[in-house]
Amino acid sequence: MVTLEIAERFAGIALSHVTREYPHKPGIVFAGPEDVRAPAALHPVFHGSFDWHSCVHGYWLLARLLRLYPASGRAPEIRALFDRSLVPERIAGECATLDAPAARGFERPYGWAWLLKLASELDGAETPRWGHALAPLAARIAERFADFLPIAPYPVRVGTHFNTAFALRLAADFADDALLAQIRETALAWYGADADCPAWGEPSGDDFLSPALIEAECLRRLLPPDAFVEWFGRFLPRLAGGEPATLFTPARVTDRSDGKIAHLDGLNLSRAWCLRCLAEALPEGDPRRVPMQEAARNHLDAAMPHLEGGYMGSHWLASFALLALDA
């Protein structure tokens, strides 16, 4: 549950970094020396939080918390930030960077998915002009998804930014009927026949997603409940007995100053999110529910004390903690 205390803590974390320009990890391809500009010139809105995608989901976190607690002590700061940043002229600058020929694959698919998740959260926000300002950028990203999926015959099953199940899962929350149908068709082509997933390779050393659990959460979001339960039983048939054990054991994080190793705190949070959503989708009394819920709590307990354990984690982990707590 997202309490007011948690909401104000998370908002404080995000507000401390979404406008922090440096350190910055560029994700853009420079076609020539004229393209080399400061982060805020390339990305008039999303130049903070170390990298573009983390800044985008920092804005999502703030938008979500504003919806949950519009009278919180941090709400005036969030509104002031959105009033300054989510304006047509700044979004036009974001679109101009995205429109460069060398930017065709910029932030595909992770940043794309988070941008659409932000747009979905701003749809129906207390101040419609924020979502209206973002709309041209969201439309470009949605079009890129629609163009990309037909030419992508294979999924990407890694536990990092390139995971396609995570991207489909988030994009589904924004998609109109046509894009949602395309996402569902693609997900079934990629994952529909999967069965008896061993998950023996999890976690890898820099995972922040569980390839197995995010695939299942993607299908949970896209399939009718009965069809999902049937698929899930084939995909992970031994969950009631705590197997595969790799999915029930929180990852150990040895050095939170190392950006890649710090990903493992995010893995614990994203697993908690998936486990909570998946357990809730099962029928009451299903023997898988209790061990999955317990595993979700254990993963949350392992990660929650470390959301501010250095900038390599603090610039992004709270967003995944919010996904888990708000599941």
Side-chain angles (χ1 to χ4, degrees):
M1 178 181 177
V2 184
T3 65
L4 175 60
E5 180 182 7
I6 289 173
E8 293 190 340
R9 176 192 172 197
F10 286 8
I13 294 171
L15 288 165
S16 75
H17 62 69
V18 292
T19 60
R20 178 177 170 177
E21 191 171 6
Y22 297 101
H24 183 82
K25 181 178 183 295
I28 202 74
V29 174
F30 297 134
E34 68 280 1
D35 290 341
V36 181
R37 290 173 285 158
L42 285 166
H43 311 296
V45 181
F46 305 118
H47 54 264
S49 309
F50 188 70
D51 49 40
W52 191 87
H53 53 256
S54 298
C55 196
V56 170
H57 64 70
Y59 272 80
W60 167 80
L61 177 146
L62 293 169
R64 182 65 183 155
L65 294 177
L66 187 61
R67 186 186 294 265
L68 291 173
Y69 288 103
S72 79
R74 293 288 188 173
E77 296 173 78
I78 298 172
R79 293 187 181 99
L81 171 68
F82 286 6
D83 283 343
R84 291 194 308 271
S85 298
L86 298 179
V87 294
E89 55 270 27
R90 290 201 180 191
I91 298 300
E94 293 282 350
C95 291
T97 295
L98 202 70
D99 288 345
R104 177 185 179 188
F106 175 67
E107 290 288 351
R108 185 180 77 195
Y110 183 76
W112 292 5
W114 272 116
L115 192 285
L116 296 187
K117 182 73 169 171
L118 170 61
S120 176
E121 189 60 43
L122 290 176
D123 184 25
E126 62 180 45
T127 302
R129 66 175 177 273
W130 300 332
H132 293 162
L134 189 67
L137 185 58
R140 280 169 168 77
I141 297 295
E143 183 178 2
R144 291 193 179 190
F145 258 112
D147 291 342
F148 171 67
L149 295 181
I151 63 170
Y154 308 111
V156 180
R157 300 176 184 271
V158 297
T160 55
H161 306 85
F162 306 103
N163 184 284
T164 46
F166 180 83
L168 296 186
R169 166 63 186 86
L170 292 197
D173 290 344
F174 170 86
D176 61 14
D177 289 346
L179 181 56
L180 186 61
Q182 190 178 15
I183 288 171
R184 184 177 291 113
E185 179 182 357
T186 301
L188 286 173
W190 283 348
Y191 309 118
D194 289 356
D196 201 13
C197 176
W200 57 261
E202 297 191 30
S204 293
D206 65 350
D207 282 356
F208 63 88
L209 299 168
S210 161
L213 292 177
I214 192 57
E215 177 179 334
E217 170 57 13
C218 176
L219 271 290
R220 182 204 64 79
R221 174 64 177 80
L222 294 171
L223 292 178
D226 289 346
F228 167 72
V229 170
E230 180 182 349
W231 176 89
F232 192 46
R234 296 193 307 269
F235 182 60
L236 289 168
R238 292 177 292 279
L239 287 177
E243 296 291 337
T246 51
L247 299 182
F248 288 82
T249 306
R252 183 169 62 95
V253 186
T254 57
D255 185 352
R256 291 184 169 85
S257 68
D258 184 295
K260 293 292 189 178
I261 296 173
H263 275 183
L264 294 168
D265 277 320
L267 174 65
N268 288 334
L269 294 167
S270 68
R271 280 185 175 183
W273 167 52
C274 292
L275 286 162
R276 293 187 73 188
C277 291
L278 294 167
E280 187 65 24
L282 299 174
E284 289 288 343
D286 190 296
R288 295 169 289 183
R289 285 180 65 117
V290 169
M292 291 170 68
Q293 290 165 341
E294 289 178 351
R297 285 192 294 271
N298 291 338
H299 280 80
L300 270 175
D301 290 345
M304 285 295 288
H306 305 294
L307 303 186
E308 298 159 277
Y311 198 54
M312 288 300 96
S314 65
H315 77 270
W316 67 282
L317 285 173
S319 297
F320 281 80
L322 182 57
L323 282 176
L325 293 173
D326 198 31

